[in-house]
Amino acid sequence: MNGNDWYATRTSGLSERTLDRYKEVVFDGVIATPNTDGSTTYTQNTRPVELTQGYYQNTLGTVGSAFIEDVSWARLRYATLSYNIPSTAFGQSFIKGVELSVTGRNLLLLTNYTGADPETSAAGAGVRGGGSNGFDYGSVPATRGVDMGVRVTF
């Protein structure tokens, strides 16, 4: 669940989904009209609704399913490139070998998720044992970094 989008929609109206504010829409559904004999007649809904901030706060903001996304993803978590300098390069010196390496962390993320990172979850592994897995709200995404190393063999 994209909790950041939920929060931005419900509280401040700063989500992209609120750009159509004050537009009138007709939602799919039916209107129930009670009859005098106790039965009910259903007709196609034709009533327009104005998308005010009240709609986003009190209607859409209370429907969690509106903020659930398909979060298929692939990540290149680690990639290392290393080079061993041949021992012949050092001749008769006390150095027997040198390896140079570069490692990248979280270099690439392929996803259709609109939040910061599909692996984040609010409060880590869970809140008071209840769990919050899959709820992205104010979470910090995985950091990207590069490490360089030198290993010398004597």
Side-chain angles (χ1 to χ4, degrees), residues 37-124:
D37 64 359
S39 64
T40 304
T41 302
Y42 299 95
T43 57
Q44 185 67 33
N45 180 35
T46 57
R47 297 178 186 167
V49 175
E50 186 178 32
L51 302 180
T52 63
Q53 185 58 28
Y55 163 76
Y56 292 108
Q57 289 175 331
N58 304 319
T59 304
L60 185 64
T62 60
V63 180
S65 61
F67 302 94
I68 295 175
E69 300 180 24
D70 173 20
V71 187
S72 301
W73 58 274
R75 181 187 305 270
L76 178 60
R77 190 166 313 275
Y78 288 99
T80 300
L81 179 64
S82 63
Y83 178 72
N84 285 316
I85 299 174
S87 59
T88 56
F90 305 107
Q92 297 296 333
S93 77
F94 63 96
I95 297 176
K96 303 296 181 202
V98 174
E99 179 184 3
L100 306 172
S101 65
V102 176
T103 300
R105 293 182 319 274
N106 297 317
L107 298 175
L108 179 67
L109 174 63
L110 302 173
T111 184
N112 57 352
Y113 181 58
T114 62
D117 188 336
E119 278 191 293
T120 63
S121 62

Side-chain angles (χ1 to χ4, degrees), residues 132-147:
S132 60
N133 210 7
F135 186 73
D136 173 13
Y137 176 65
S139 305
V140 178
T143 57
R144 181 177 296 154
V146 176
D147 298 326

